[in-house]
Amino acid sequence: MSWSQMWIAYITIVYKEVTRFTRIWQQTLLPPVVTTSLYFVIFGSLIGPRIGTMEGYRYMDFIVPGLILMSVITSSYANVSSSFFGAKFQRSIEELQISPTPNSVILLGYVTGGMARGLLVGLVVTLVALFFSQLSIHNVFVMFSISLLTALLFSMGGFLNGLFARKFDDVSIVPNFILTPLTYLGGVFYSIRLLPDFWQGVSHLNPILYMINGFRYGFLGISDIHLGFSYLIILAFTAVLFMINLKLLNKGYGIRS
Amino acid sequence: MTVALSIQNLEKEYDNGVRALKGISLEVEKGDFFALLGKNGAGKSTAIGIICSLVNKTAGSVKILDHDIDIDFPLARSMLGVVPQEINLSVFETPLQIVVNQAGYYGIDRKLAQTRAEKYLTQLGLWDKRNDTTRQLSGGMKRRLMIARSLMHEPKLLILDEPTAGVDIEIRRSMWDFISEINNSGTTIILTTHYLEEAENLCRNIAIIDQGLVVENTSTRELLAKSQREIYVLDLVDSIDSLPTFERGRWTLTSPSSLEVDISKQQGINGVFRELNAKQIKVQSMRNKTNRLEQLFLDMTTDDEKESA
Ligand SMILES: Nc1ncnc2c1ncn2[C@@H]1O[C@H](COP(=O)(O)OP(=O)(O)OP(=O)(O)O)[C@@H](O)[C@H]1O
Ligand SMILES: [Mg+2]
């Protein structure tokens, strides 16, 4: 395949993915918006004023970046894992398998689709957040790049999940038992400096901490972590997941008998 | 370069230990209309799966128009179109989306894809359904949609795994015409089917696979020439009480008004009528008991009951 043919194949996959999640927007775009709005109302407006400030910011303003990123993470992940698993389940993935499209393009196409949903949800949640808080942006570049890279990383993660999944339940295990806890413990709702030393140390093993803090830096200009570390961790995990996914695809894991 | 498909010593052992292919070799000429026959579980779909990279082979090699599927896979794949036995359509997408996207996976730009989509969906009688979700299509329509999808990149070799299974007789006939036309325009066709008359009418060459081995690989004409005997069923005008002694052929009286005769090809129908005239038996109608190919097929493949005994 020439580069231009690969580009067409890539765009086709992305287009198909975007068509899929916009067609079922009630399942893909609406729920995260509803959930985060509830967070805004409960933690921001009702409980927030009683907490006072966190790191010198109104509690609501402190948690908004984490909540936005949380919606990016869950949406990107869910999009790729469920779409890829669905294609496997219906065997329509064979359309791609028999085609000359290289596996790397298949992977990037699905991942871009996941990023599109993650970022779109993130954008809508941000707009909703504007009703509840005074969002200021400290560094646009950091804000954009961290959200983009986080969406990339979790789309890669979702792809891996899709490859391994054998039944529909397998698609929800990781989000429920790993992603959600890690996100909650990754400092969405608090600064880890509130924790005892030991738990601060443990928190540093949580990769999501680095993303949330990096993203929060983009808005507020504060972070528990050095910004460089945030980028390094995200890029390292992304690279590893990319390699694993590609290797499994090349082996035909879960899709070739 | 006159070979469209070349398979050498292909073997497949599935993870569960089933040896679906035990070393098959086949060559299909360019432009051929080729039938791959065999009983359920013989290994036809496994072979096709390997050719189109959906199944990992255990050993052997496959070349599509001289391009090895392992070494030269983008080229090999772009020349191959496949209609699988099992429906593998995304039921939430529309026929139009499915075929246009499929073209995209071969690097065909969207404008050309739209043109071809209209052409092939129309030819297969699905243009009116193009914006329905695929879930709403009937089984036969889904099968035709898979044919349209396989043609979007205009492959040089088209493999159809039981394309006419579960399709009504009228549409089956129109599919035959359609596939023949594609073949006439130069595309090599490989077809599996359990309707042997379909293979007999359409295909120039035939291979029979039995238990993972090729047991026959020849032209349809030669294969049919191998059948030395034919069995006819005769309905009589007047009932007869007992079987007269005929000079040639093996005769049985299956009911007072019908006879069966097993006679060598040399004697033929004339021989049958000579015998009947001599005994002054009048015949109302006559037909072949089985399709000739069917009889040969049964002779060549393993009898399941014999095997398990
Ligand atoms: N994914 C699989 N895993 C394990 N065994 C398999 C698998 N697919 C097929 N088989 C086995 O391989 C053998 C050949 O199957 P295959 O589907 O190739 O037969 P076929 O000739 O296409 O039959 P049919 O006419 O019924 O479609 C069978 O014994 C079947 O049970
Ligand atoms: Mg089969």
Side-chain angles (χ1 to χ4, degrees), chain A residues 78-243:
Chain A
N79 197 68
V80 185
S81 60
S82 50
S83 175
F84 190 78
F85 176 72
K88 228 169 71 168
F89 185 76
Q90 301 191 60
R91 305 181 60 166
S92 61
I93 192 64
E94 293 178 1
E95 295 175 346
L96 277 160
Q97 284 181 273
I98 62 167
S99 81
T101 305
N103 287 330
S104 53
V105 173
I106 297 177
L107 174 58
L108 289 178
Y110 269 95
V111 163
T112 310
M115 291 170 71
R117 169 160 151 204
L119 294 174
L120 188 61
V121 167
L123 180 71
V124 178
V125 170
T126 308
L127 294 178
V128 174
L130 288 175
F131 287 103
F132 297 93
S133 64
Q134 292 123 24
L135 271 182
S136 59
I137 295 177
H138 175 74
N139 186 328
V140 183
F141 173 76
V142 172
M143 190 198 85
F144 270 119
S145 56
I146 296 274
S147 52
L148 204 73
L149 289 172
T150 305
L152 172 66
L153 170 56
F154 285 93
S155 296
M156 289 283 180
F159 194 92
L160 188 63
N161 195 159
L163 272 175
F164 276 105
R166 289 181 189 282
K167 47 190 194 308
F168 279 104
D169 290 345
D170 296 348
V171 173
S172 53
I173 288 176
V174 177
N176 286 340
F177 295 104
I178 299 178
L179 284 190
T180 308
L182 284 184
T183 315
Y184 279 46
L185 299 172
V188 174
F189 297 104
Y190 54 84
S191 160
I192 58 161
R193 269 184 270 177
L194 299 180
L195 300 175
D197 282 350
F198 174 75
W199 290 108
Q200 275 196 39
V202 172
S203 294
H204 278 100
L205 298 175
N206 176 358
I208 295 183
L209 177 79
Y210 297 81
M211 298 162 210
I212 289 175
N213 273 279
F215 192 62
R216 186 179 287 132
Y217 178 86
F219 283 95
L220 307 178
I222 52 161
S223 173
D224 293 339
I225 310 285
H226 190 286
L227 199 58
F229 265 126
S230 295
Y231 283 106
L232 198 69
I233 295 276
I234 302 178
L235 288 172
F237 272 93
T238 306
V240 170
L241 279 176
F242 177 79
M243 308 278 244

Side-chain angles (χ1 to χ4, degrees), chain B residues 39-46 48 85-86 161-162 192 194:
Chain B
K39 295 186 170 180
N40 288 139
K44 304 177 297 292
S45 298
T46 301
I48 293 172
Q85 177 175 8
E86 311 265 348
D161 198 351
E162 296 190 34
T192 80
H194 290 291

Side-chain angles (χ1 to χ4, degrees), chain A residues 90 94-95 99 101 256-257, chain B residues 54 56 88 91 105 149:
Chain A
Q90 301 191 60
E94 293 178 1
E95 295 175 346
S99 81
T101 305
R256 234 188 287 147
S257 42
Chain B
L54 293 175
N56 286 323
N88 65 350
V91 294
Y105 304 150
R149 184 181 62 183

